Amino acid sequence: MIKNFELLNKSIEKEDIQSIKGEASRIYTALIRNELSDLNLSEYIYTPAQAVEELGLDEALINELLADYVSQVIKSLVQFEVELDDLQKSKNNNEIKLDYTLFRELAHKNLGVARNLRIKNAEILLYEMMKREDLDYLMICLEALEVSTIKLNTEVAYNTLKLINLKDSLKN
């Protein structure tokens, strides 16, 4: 079920950030037009203007916070996938009640930052991830979150994954 960072891992070998961004855009467009069409997600390019105006912070700080958010979500993807994998195992073992608590807590943590930065599509996706209990649907939302996050700042997403891979290789 789980394909850790499929898009980013494929692209790390190529080290072509533009191709990563293009592929993320293609996947995102397909998801919002098909599987997630009922959420009315849109193709938009994030601008910090609304966050600057409403939070009273300068654009440089908002962009720094955005980079932190992208890094946080990329790091969280592993945890999300582990939680979904555990839920899938519980479902396969015919457990009557699946415990979504850890998955929802992780979504809630990321939702707060998305709201503060006024990242509308992430807000919608993370809210869905907090309330739904369909594992296939949650995986689709997670994929949309991944590619929409990559689109926000491809270079930060790419560098975060490279750092995760480096840390993992040092453990082995």
Side-chain angles (χ1 to χ4, degrees), residues 71-84:
S71 183
Q72 174 183 312
V73 170
I74 296 301
K75 291 173 186 173
S76 295
L77 289 173
V78 172
Q79 295 170 287
F80 275 122
E81 290 180 343
V82 166
E83 292 304 321
L84 277 180

Side-chain angles (χ1 to χ4, degrees), residues 37 50 53 65 73 78-80 83 93 98 105 133 136 139 161 164 166:
S37 61
Q50 184 180 9
E53 181 182 321
L65 293 170
V73 170
V78 172
Q79 295 170 287
F80 275 122
E83 292 304 321
N93 291 332
L98 301 181
E105 286 174 356
E133 293 189 355
D136 292 330
M139 194 63 201
L161 183 63
I164 290 169
L166 177 62

Side-chain angles (χ1 to χ4, degrees), residues 78-116:
V78 172
Q79 295 170 287
F80 275 122
E81 290 180 343
V82 166
E83 292 304 321
L84 277 180
D85 196 38
D86 288 348
L87 288 164
Q88 186 64 52
K89 287 175 186 170
S90 295
K91 182 179 177 182
N92 292 346
N93 291 332
N94 296 318
E95 290 184 23
I96 296 171
K97 183 74 175 147
L98 301 181
D99 185 3
Y100 289 84
T101 304
L102 295 174
F103 186 85
R104 288 181 176 145
E105 286 174 356
L106 188 56
H108 186 265
K109 175 180 125 181
N110 287 284
L111 176 60
V113 179
R115 278 187 179 143
N116 288 339

Side-chain angles (χ1 to χ4, degrees), residues 5 8-9 11-17 20 71 74-75 154-170:
F5 303 112
L8 286 172
N9 275 329
S11 302
I12 259 189
E13 297 164 7
K14 297 178 191 173
E15 295 198 25
D16 180 5
I17 290 176
I20 297 170
S71 183
I74 296 301
K75 291 173 186 173
T154 309
E155 190 170 345
V156 169
Y158 175 80
N159 289 335
T160 301
L161 183 63
K162 280 179 63 174
L163 186 59
I164 290 169
N165 286 342
L166 177 62
K167 286 180 180 178
D168 287 347
S169 71
L170 293 174

